[in-house]
Amino acid sequence: MALDLDVGLERVVAAATRLSDVQGEHGRLTIAGFPAEEVAPRATFEEMVYLLWNDHLPNSEQLAEFQARLAGYRSIPEHTVTLLRSAAERQTNPMDALRMGLSSLDVVADDPWEQAASIVSQTATIVAAFLRLRAGEDPVSPDPELSHAVDFLRMVGGEVPDPARVRALETYLNTVSDHGLNASTFAARVIVATESDLVSAITGAVGALKGPLHGGAPGPALDMVFEIAELERAEPYLRSKLERGERLMGFGHRVYKVRDPRADILAQATLRLYAGGAGDQHLYEMATGVEQVALRLLEEYKPGRNLQTNVEYYTALLLHCLGFSSDDFTPIFAVGRVAGWLAHCQEQLETGRLIRPSCQYIGEHDRAWVPRSDRGW
Amino acid sequence: MALDLDVGLERVVAAATRLSDVQGEHGRLTIAGFPAEEVAPRATFEEMVYLLWNDHLPNSEQLAEFQARLAGYRSIPEHTVTLLRSAAERQTNPMDALRMGLSSLDVVADDPWEQAASIVSQTATIVAAFLRLRAGEDPVSPDPELSHAVDFLRMVGGEVPDPARVRALETYLNTVSDHGLNASTFAARVIVATESDLVSAITGAVGALKGPLHGGAPGPALDMVFEIAELERAEPYLRSKLERGERLMGFGHRVYKVRDPRADILAQATLRLYAGGAGDQHLYEMATGVEQVALRLLEEYKPGRNLQTNVEYYTALLLHCLGFSSDDFTPIFAVGRVAGWLAHCQEQLETGRLIRPSCQYIGEHDRAWVPRSDRGW
């Protein structure tokens, strides 16, 4: 049987999923049956996780039970804190620290849904603890009376956050909670398909998410706005970038050929956040101003390409307003995406199938051993 | 474009590789251009790693330089030892401990080959340190004057091993150093294809290797021999297993339809080891006797299927003779396979391609939000 080599697997459908549907040509994203813009701004993060895992919204009793269950798992083991402390002292990259922290969690064999609940909770705690430790402060212990998003912001900042910030964070986490079969999700599925465990699968997914080709790194979009600094500099700055043939970070997407629906959701969430007085108003005005100039120039330099603001642009603005620095955007992305990774793992386990493609051998055959003393090359 | 769903990706060729060629119908395994039986019993482990990474055997100067380079990386960081110590206290599964240990290593950004050298070396040190800690003993510090295999056995057992044991271990590590695009190797390629780092990729591969569907877990084959205990019990024991329709662990292989060439290599290595007086002679005679009975009964119960002794059977016997317990066989497998994983990572990085298959959405669309108070289900 002769098979074609397909290095990127673009022509392959590797999973059937009910978790999300990315319709790039139409700018539509469905998450667990809902248009993303219908569910992301309304659900609490716990509701979103429940929805992904159970394919329906929880009633009040189910939600209360689920929220308590997640909250009960929020503490991380002492050995994980020790590991993160030492990583912070070595100024470890936050994605490496997250990989170390997650990988250090013990595997609980009996019930994969319990393990999944603990991983969702502890991913947030690991990120928060590492940010504290890196700033030279002790981690803040979880408060299981608080919701996931409230407690995450409290464990990072030390204070119970106001509701506007919580809503903005939940909208963000929900928006990025799942997005088809991207590379990190596929990595999780490949690992768990061997019937390995969820800690191993999520650790692998975090490793894949870190890669620059994965996409979804929102830091550079904001860095560009910082570099422009004053709105009147936007046009010459962007024009010179486009003249040099450079990409504008935060615009255009591999899959979305019209506006990324996630960008709209996050643009509105960000508007509400800054309108409520949070964050650096000058930066917000700068960023929205730069966006308008960028869209106008992209239409001028790349007519018909319809390059639109992507999810990274407003992710950067939203997370910056919540007090996070560019380095931390990808770990916080993981705090949301871990919900989808775990849902995909469960779907994969239900298939009972190993993922094991073939390879084509292009090397030699029948080489003969040469004793060490005869290797005169 | 309508695409067929292929959950296991069996019909897909996902990589071109010069690293190994598995010809299951012919019982042939080529590693880096050499028949496995030509190279595995002759090469030192360092030679094998060099060969996989450079596609030629090293001359004496290259070998000396490479051996010194690997040896120079053999020490593991103090925070990794602390983590392993705590894992040992919690009686963590050795594969989980290996995942924790590897994931805790720092990423060195500049030269992926240097990072690869450190990972090969430190995988062995992590396994050795964990086995010591689990036994309630302190880890033995590496001795960079010794070769990889010598020092691994010394770090496990506390003493410089005799050459017969070293040769047996090297033959084993070389034999399992690569084997096409299995699930763990594919996991490593998926992760590194995002241009993430080698620590992340190898951590993911270890996670996949742990899964029971991955195959290559040699423990159960030996457990069967222990359970039989006396040779005269072999026939009734095996007959009753076959009557119940059970699989005989250590026989038959998904890919190899004739004798697995690795079984032959390891059978000979094991014979030499026991013939030299090492290990439990009774067990060796038992195991080879059980093998003969099993092959005869398999031909009787499954005529024409040609079920042969697989690599697991002699792996178990060889590693047992070297003093390892069944629980540790898979981590030691990783000590060898890490060479192939890293070689595949380099091949994948050279393609510059992300691995990102599609998925087929089978969920609903356009669900409408229901406020919490209205969820009367």
Side-chain angles (χ1 to χ4, degrees):
Chain A
M1 182 167 52
L3 295 164
D4 283 346
L5 177 64
D6 181 4
V7 174
L9 299 186
E10 282 93 347
R11 287 168 288 155
V12 171
V13 182
T17 182
R18 59 159 185 76
L19 296 169
S20 60
D21 186 29
V22 182
Q23 298 189 338
E25 333 75 81
H26 304 110
R28 279 172 60 181
L29 169 62
T30 297
I31 307 183
F34 289 88
E37 62 276 17
E38 174 85 4
V39 68
R42 292 187 172 101
T44 65
F45 184 64
E46 286 91 335
E47 272 181 308
M48 194 73 210
V49 179
Y50 186 97
L51 171 62
L52 280 165
W53 294 2
N54 298 279
D55 203 27
H56 67 84
L57 287 170
N59 64 30
S60 358
E61 203 179 320
Q62 289 162 336
L63 182 58
E65 190 277 330
F66 189 64
Q67 188 166 321
R69 184 139 57 98
L70 289 188
Y73 284 119
R74 205 172 287 150
S75 287
I76 54 175
E78 195 49 42
H79 72 267
T80 302
V81 177
T82 304
L83 182 66
L84 294 173
R85 193 180 296 277
S86 132
E89 282 163 8
R90 300 193 312 281
Q91 304 197 291
T92 300
N93 167 305
M95 280 302 281
D96 289 337
L98 176 58
R99 184 199 65 238
M100 294 176 186
L102 278 169
S103 187
S104 79
L105 299 178
D106 285 322
V107 172
V108 181
D110 46 354
D111 184 342
W113 286 111
E114 289 300 315
Q115 178 93 68
S118 75
I119 292 172
V120 161
S121 286
Q122 291 171 21
T123 300
T125 311
I126 288 168
V127 172
F130 182 72
L131 299 192
R132 296 286 292 189
L133 288 162
R134 195 188 49 187
E137 296 174 288
D138 275 325
V140 174
S141 297
D143 178 351
E145 298 300 312
L146 300 177
S147 80
H148 187 86
V150 171
D151 210 20
F152 176 65
L153 289 173
R154 193 189 62 91
M155 288 189 288
V156 172
E159 290 173 11
V160 173
D162 66 66
R165 285 169 182 272
V166 176
R167 184 60 259 166
L169 178 66
E170 292 194 299
T171 298
Y172 170 69
L173 296 177
N174 294 346
T175 299
V176 301
S177 62
D178 203 57
H179 200 256
L181 202 56
N182 50 80
S184 57
T185 301
F186 186 53
R189 289 186 86 126
V190 169
I191 293 169
V192 89
T194 66
E195 293 186 358
S196 183
D197 62 89
L198 295 175
V199 173
S200 295
I202 300 309
T203 299
V206 165
L209 178 61
K210 183 190 162 191
L213 293 194
H214 188 289
L222 193 63
D223 293 342
M224 188 181 77
V225 175
F226 282 130
E227 226 180 296
I228 293 174
E230 294 300 332
L231 193 49
E232 57 265 33
R233 293 188 49 209
E235 179 149 350
Y237 176 96
L238 295 171
R239 214 175 259 288
S240 111
K241 251 185 141 50
L242 288 164
E243 295 281 355
R244 288 195 304 272
E246 288 177 27
R247 238 193 99 199
L248 299 191
M249 303 311 287
F251 297 88
H253 190 274
R254 198 183 62 85
V255 170
Y256 291 107
K257 300 306 170 203
V258 294
R259 189 163 163 96
D260 182 339
R262 299 174 298 175
D264 272 336
I265 301 168
L266 298 185
Q268 288 175 33
T270 306
L271 171 62
R272 272 194 293 273
L273 196 54
Y274 283 90
D280 174 349
Q281 298 291 325
H282 171 70
L283 178 70
Y284 180 75
E285 281 159 30
M286 266 288 298
T288 45
V290 167
E291 182 188 13
Q292 293 317 312
V293 177
L295 291 174
R296 175 163 54 79
L297 294 182
L298 283 167
E299 192 50 40
E300 178 185 331
Y301 281 84
K302 301 179 189 291
R305 289 278 302 283
N306 197 20
L307 293 171
Q308 297 287 338
T309 319
N310 65 29
V311 66
E312 295 166 14
Y313 198 82
Y314 279 99
T315 292
L317 212 51
L318 187 150
L319 293 180
H320 179 80
C321 184
L322 293 178
F324 297 107
S325 72
S326 298
D327 279 355
D328 308 330
F329 292 169
T330 311
I332 293 165
F333 179 95
V335 170
R337 180 58 59 85
V338 69
W341 286 335
L342 288 160
H344 276 273
C345 285
Q346 298 292 351
E347 267 193 352
Q348 184 64 41
L349 285 172
E350 281 162 22
T351 70
R353 294 282 293 280
L354 189 67
I355 300 176
R356 194 193 196 289
S358 304
C359 56
Q360 177 193 330
Y361 184 66
I362 53 169
E364 291 187 34
H365 277 291
D366 297 320
R367 284 178 175 170
W369 180 256
V370 180
R372 254 146 256 159
S373 53
D374 296 350
R375 294 180 202 157
W377 46 81
Chain B
M1 182 166 54
L3 296 164
D4 283 346
L5 178 63
D6 181 3
V7 174
L9 300 186
E10 283 93 346
R11 287 169 288 154
V12 171
V13 182
T17 182
R18 59 158 187 77
L19 297 169
S20 61
D21 186 29
V22 182
Q23 297 189 339
E25 332 78 80
H26 304 110
R28 280 172 59 182
L29 169 61
T30 296
I31 307 183
F34 289 89
E37 62 276 16
E38 174 86 3
V39 67
R42 291 187 173 99
T44 65
F45 185 63
E46 286 91 335
E47 272 181 309
M48 194 74 210
V49 178
Y50 187 97
L51 171 61
L52 280 165
W53 294 3
N54 297 280
D55 202 27
H56 67 86
L57 287 170
N59 63 30
S60 355
E61 202 178 320
Q62 289 162 337
L63 182 57
E65 190 277 329
F66 189 63
Q67 190 167 318
R69 183 139 58 97
L70 289 188
Y73 283 118
R74 206 173 285 151
S75 286
I76 55 176
E78 196 48 43
H79 72 267
T80 302
V81 177
T82 303
L83 182 67
L84 294 173
R85 192 180 296 277
S86 133
E89 282 164 7
R90 301 192 311 280
Q91 304 197 292
T92 300
N93 168 304
M95 280 302 281
D96 289 335
L98 176 57
R99 184 198 66 239
M100 293 175 186
L102 278 169
S103 186
S104 78
L105 299 178
D106 285 322
V107 173
V108 182
D110 45 355
D111 184 342
W113 286 110
E114 289 300 316
Q115 177 93 68
S118 75
I119 292 173
V120 161
S121 287
Q122 291 171 20
T123 299
T125 311
I126 288 168
V127 172
F130 182 71
L131 298 192
R132 297 286 292 188
L133 289 162
R134 196 189 47 187
E137 295 174 289
D138 275 325
V140 174
S141 297
D143 178 352
E145 298 300 313
L146 301 176
S147 81
H148 186 86
V150 171
D151 210 21
F152 176 64
L153 289 172
R154 192 189 62 92
M155 288 190 288
V156 172
E159 290 172 12
V160 174
D162 66 65
R165 286 169 182 271
V166 176
R167 183 62 259 165
L169 178 67
E170 292 195 300
T171 298
Y172 169 69
L173 297 177
N174 294 347
T175 300
V176 302
S177 62
D178 203 56
H179 200 254
L181 202 56
N182 50 81
S184 56
T185 301
F186 186 53
R189 289 186 85 126
V190 169
I191 293 169
V192 88
T194 67
E195 293 186 359
S196 183
D197 63 273
L198 296 174
V199 173
S200 294
I202 300 309
T203 299
V206 165
L209 179 61
K210 184 190 162 192
L213 294 193
H214 188 289
L222 193 64
D223 293 343
M224 189 181 75
V225 175
F226 282 130
E227 226 180 296
I228 293 173
E230 293 300 332
L231 194 49
E232 57 266 33
R233 292 186 52 209
E235 179 149 350
Y237 177 96
L238 295 171
R239 217 175 257 289
S240 111
K241 251 185 142 48
L242 288 164
E243 295 280 356
R244 289 196 303 273
E246 289 177 23
R247 238 193 98 199
L248 299 191
M249 303 310 288
F251 298 87
H253 190 273
R254 200 182 61 85
V255 170
Y256 291 107
K257 300 306 172 204
V258 295
R259 189 164 163 95
D260 182 340
R262 299 173 297 174
D264 273 335
I265 300 169
L266 297 185
Q268 288 174 34
T270 306
L271 171 62
R272 271 195 293 272
L273 196 53
Y274 282 91
D280 173 350
Q281 297 290 326
H282 171 70
L283 177 70
Y284 181 75
E285 282 158 30
M286 267 288 298
T288 46
V290 166
E291 181 189 13
Q292 294 315 314
V293 177
L295 291 174
R296 174 162 55 79
L297 294 182
L298 283 167
E299 191 51 39
E300 179 185 330
Y301 281 84
K302 301 181 188 293
R305 290 277 301 283
N306 196 20
L307 294 171
Q308 297 287 338
T309 320
N310 65 31
V311 66
E312 296 165 14
Y313 199 81
Y314 278 99
T315 292
L317 212 51
L318 186 150
L319 293 181
H320 180 79
C321 185
L322 293 178
F324 297 107
S325 72
S326 298
D327 280 356
D328 308 331
F329 292 170
T330 311
I332 293 164
F333 179 95
V335 170
R337 180 58 59 85
V338 69
W341 287 334
L342 288 161
H344 276 274
C345 285
Q346 298 292 350
E347 268 193 352
Q348 184 64 40
L349 286 172
E350 281 162 21
T351 70
R353 293 284 293 280
L354 189 66
I355 299 177
R356 193 194 197 287
S358 304
C359 57
Q360 176 193 330
Y361 184 66
I362 54 169
E364 291 187 34
H365 277 291
D366 296 319
R367 283 178 175 171
W369 179 256
V370 180
R372 255 147 255 160
S373 54
D374 296 350
R375 293 179 203 159
W377 47 80

